[in-house]
Amino acid sequence: MAFGIRRWSAADADWYVAARDETILRWTSEPAVVTPAEFVDRLEALDGVMTEGFALVESGAPVGNLAAVRRADIAELSYWVAADARGRGAATSGLHALTSWVLENWDVTTLELLIHPENEGSIRVAERCGYARGELREVSLDCAGPVSY
């Protein structure tokens, strides 16, 4: 099955809230609790210029989350995949698509991924997408010690 991306919609709120499991919460800065209304509020805050979010989809249905935040000439990309889509190439397809979108739409010189050094699955995804390990740096995430790719 092929994976694609599309913009999130308010109709996706219940899926988004339900899909976030212990693995996602362990490796991301996602808040422990998000309501459908908070998800919709976040969607309305996306502007496509400094922040953008996409649903990673399979046959039109969400299987993951992709996001990009722009800070001057740096874009920070993030992603997660729901449990039922893991291990099938979804994250790799999604990161490729998000990387392409950012490079086509934003004038940036650097792409960064913040990955916890023990998140080996995400590290493999980054490497398959051509990202190289950068320097460890301090950031304030729920999971301490992410690696900048």
Side-chain angles (χ1 to χ4, degrees), residues 49-69:
V49 176
M50 299 305 285
T51 57
E52 189 57 87
F54 297 96
L56 174 60
V57 297
E58 182 177 35
S59 300
V63 297
N65 178 52
L66 306 166
V69 176

Side-chain angles (χ1 to χ4, degrees), residues 26-140:
R26 177 179 182 197
W27 299 122
T28 70
S29 60
E30 287 275 326
V33 177
V34 173
T35 67
E38 289 169 332
F39 172 81
V40 172
D41 287 345
R42 287 184 187 177
L43 285 185
E44 292 171 358
L46 298 174
D47 62 13
V49 176
M50 299 305 285
T51 57
E52 189 57 87
F54 297 96
L56 174 60
V57 297
E58 182 177 35
S59 300
V63 297
N65 178 52
L66 306 166
V69 176
R70 182 177 174 184
R71 292 182 181 90
D73 64 345
I74 298 172
E76 181 182 306
L77 285 57
S78 61
Y79 52 90
W80 57 255
V81 176
D84 61 351
R86 293 183 192 136
R88 299 190 291 124
T92 301
S93 293
L95 183 55
H96 272 299
L98 182 60
T99 298
S100 294
W101 185 91
V102 167
L103 293 174
E104 291 169 11
N105 291 280
W106 289 352
D107 185 20
V108 295
T109 61
T110 304
L111 300 176
E112 289 186 343
L113 308 176
L114 300 179
I115 302 172
H116 190 286
E118 294 176 10
N119 188 344
E120 294 187 22
S122 192
I123 289 169
R124 285 191 303 274
V125 166
E127 290 171 346
R128 280 194 296 268
C129 291
Y131 287 85
R133 187 180 296 255
E135 294 180 19
L136 185 65
R137 65 184 191 137
E138 292 295 320
V139 294
S140 59

